[in-house]
Amino acid sequence: MKQLKFIISGGGTGGHIFPAISIANALKKRVPDADFLFVGAEGRMEMEKVPNAGYKIEGLPVAGFDRSNLLNNFKVLVKLFKSLKMAKQIVKEFQPNVVIGVGGYASGPTLFAANRLGIPTVLQEQNSYAGVTNKLLAKNAKKICVAYTGMERFFPKESIELTGNPVRQDFLEVQPKAEEAYRHFGFSPELPTMLVVGGSLGARTINQSMMGDLEKLQAANVQVLWQTGKYYFEDVKKRVAESPCERIVVTDFVKRMDYAYAIADLVVSRAGASSISELCLLGKPSILVPSPNVAEDHQTHNAEALSTKDAAVLVRDVDAPRVMVDEALSLIKDGERLSKLGKNALSMSQLNSADRIADEILKLV
């Protein structure tokens, strides 16, 4: 049989890149001699993360539309035209069996080129509210792998496959409440633990809400692991140092997220697709504070998909400074409510997503 070849395109954020690499890994496990090429956007994080994972990547000069200043979009259109030509050349030369789009700017030109050249395409949509690029590409896609029910309002029903989002399976390897996880952070198994995360770069509102209520956090008998993100770390560290908060551990980035999840009784988080998939897979009770600065306000839609099923508590970004910490402290002491939220979140999880997506791709070969 001729060597199989796959192009995987998209990126821009960790939420797109991690699923892309997971899908490639799952395909490689089935077809060890397959050849892979990633196509990303120049200057975005995939240009670094993908080679680190051991895969080749080509960059397109594509950029997103500027909705606040329409005059800037002339440059965007020039970049798009150039990217379409480059993508067609890349696809023609590589001759893939299937092209997989994971969302983000770069997937548009790449999948458009594949469709024009008659190569089967597969979309992976991480969010409960479909992105513009995936909506435009959907009618020509052979299969659309989604993480939420009800996606037929965006995509042709016959193309949809509910697979979930690929998440890091190593999270499942650490036992809940593992002693070594408490030791790693210097925490006590006797006290309730709150994990606060805002993505790798941080979330301003979550950090400000926490800093505004440090006295309440200190007075409560809880311990807090707080990932601030690199932009906010110095400010938060200084502020925490000024008030005696011995049960609050502040870090710019949690390297052992498996340990952090293992001991967390409650997670306070943004509502990105990957974060939500992880919370559901682990059955973690959470307070979700959707970022208002994302396309189509998709984080609010993601959070509502859980909160309407009583699988998470939704706190809007604008309300967070006033209510987030109070809500968290009230919830972390309510074992019954935590248990119910966790069970409902677990019921929404999808297992082995990367393998299931790989199955759908290989059916097309």
Side-chain angles (χ1 to χ4, degrees):
M1 188 179 169
K2 216 171 88 174
Q3 183 190 28
L4 295 183
K5 293 181 168 190
F6 302 99
I7 284 180
I8 302 178
S9 186
T13 66
H16 289 129
I17 298 160
F18 180 76
I21 292 169
S22 294
I23 292 165
N25 291 343
L27 285 166
K28 203 175 179 69
K29 206 165 62 181
R30 311 289 180 80
V31 194
D33 66 341
D35 196 4
F36 294 87
L37 177 65
F38 281 69
V39 180
E42 285 172 0
R44 302 302 294 249
M45 63 196 283
E46 57 266 28
M47 301 308 291
E48 179 197 333
K49 300 279 186 198
V50 168
N52 288 350
Y55 293 102
K56 297 174 293 191
I57 186 163
E58 299 260 5
L60 302 177
V62 67
F65 281 93
D66 186 339
R67 294 169 199 203
S68 58
N69 187 344
L70 294 177
L71 290 173
N72 287 349
N73 289 320
F74 178 70
K75 282 184 200 159
V76 173
L77 287 170
V78 171
K79 286 180 176 179
L80 178 60
F81 184 68
K82 193 176 171 190
S83 297
L84 284 164
K85 277 180 75 173
M86 285 173 69
K88 189 177 179 186
Q89 195 62 32
I90 289 166
V91 174
K92 251 183 169 172
E93 282 177 14
F94 191 72
Q95 294 193 320
N97 297 82
V98 183
V99 175
I100 302 114
V102 295
Y105 311 138
S107 64
T110 313
L111 272 80
F112 181 75
N115 288 328
R116 294 292 293 270
L117 294 164
I119 294 161
T121 58
V122 172
L123 297 180
Q124 200 251 332
E125 175 56 66
Q126 294 102 20
N127 295 295
S128 67
Y129 194 89
V132 171
T133 306
N134 277 353
K135 281 193 277 195
L136 291 171
L137 295 166
K139 69 176 188 295
N140 292 312
K142 296 285 183 200
K143 193 60 72 176
I144 304 162
C145 297
V146 301
Y148 294 89
T149 55
M151 296 302 282
E152 50 278 0
R153 62 203 168 114
F154 304 113
F155 301 134
K157 191 176 181 180
E158 63 281 4
S159 308
I160 294 173
E161 200 67 43
L162 182 65
T163 57
N165 285 325
V167 300
R168 290 167 280 189
Q169 298 295 316
D170 58 329
F171 290 158
L172 296 166
E173 287 162 20
V174 178
Q175 288 302 309
K177 310 290 181 191
E179 274 182 42
E180 73 265 26
Y182 283 104
R183 273 200 308 273
H184 181 79
F185 298 109
F187 281 159
S188 159
E190 307 301 316
L191 292 174
T193 305
M194 190 192 305
L195 170 62
V196 181
V197 285
S200 55
L201 300 177
R204 178 186 288 143
T205 305
I206 290 177
N207 287 329
Q208 285 178 340
S209 304
M210 292 288 288
M211 285 197 287
D213 275 338
L214 276 181
E215 288 71 25
K216 285 181 188 171
L217 288 161
Q218 178 58 20
N221 210 18
V222 299
Q223 49 206 6
V224 180
L225 176 57
W226 180 359
Q227 177 182 287
T228 63
K230 63 179 183 181
Y231 292 149
Y232 306 99
F233 178 57
E234 292 304 329
D235 279 354
V236 172
K237 191 169 76 166
K238 189 166 165 247
R239 176 83 170 79
V240 170
E242 286 165 2
S243 54
C245 301
E246 67 270 10
R247 288 190 304 276
I248 298 180
V249 171
V250 175
T251 179
D252 60 337
F253 186 72
V254 177
K255 291 187 180 72
R256 290 301 305 260
M257 205 63 186
D258 52 347
Y259 280 175
Y261 276 138
I263 62 172
D265 297 292
L266 173 67
V267 181
V268 178
S269 172
R270 284 301 198 196
S274 293
S275 301
I276 285 187
S277 296
E278 289 164 6
L279 293 167
C280 290
L281 187 70
L282 296 163
K284 285 287 162 188
S286 62
I287 291 176
L288 299 173
V289 185
S291 169
N293 310 313
V294 293
E296 277 85 48
D297 195 23
H298 67 249
Q299 286 204 6
T300 298
H301 295 286
N302 289 350
E304 284 171 347
L306 268 68
S307 65
T308 53
K309 293 185 176 166
D310 202 24
V313 172
L314 168 58
V315 170
R316 299 197 183 271
D317 193 83
V318 69
D319 300 326
R322 197 167 36 83
V323 304
M324 187 189 89
V325 169
D326 285 342
E327 186 74 54
L329 291 175
S330 149
L331 190 52
I332 205 165
K333 290 173 182 160
D334 186 344
E336 201 176 312
R337 180 99 175 92
L338 286 177
S339 173
K340 190 174 182 196
L341 287 169
K343 276 183 189 151
N344 290 342
L346 189 63
S347 74
M348 294 180 71
S349 67
Q350 299 284 337
L351 293 169
N352 308 316
S353 298
D355 288 321
R356 287 158 65 191
I357 294 166
D359 285 342
E360 295 303 325
I361 293 164
L362 290 172
K363 282 177 194 170
L364 298 174
V365 174

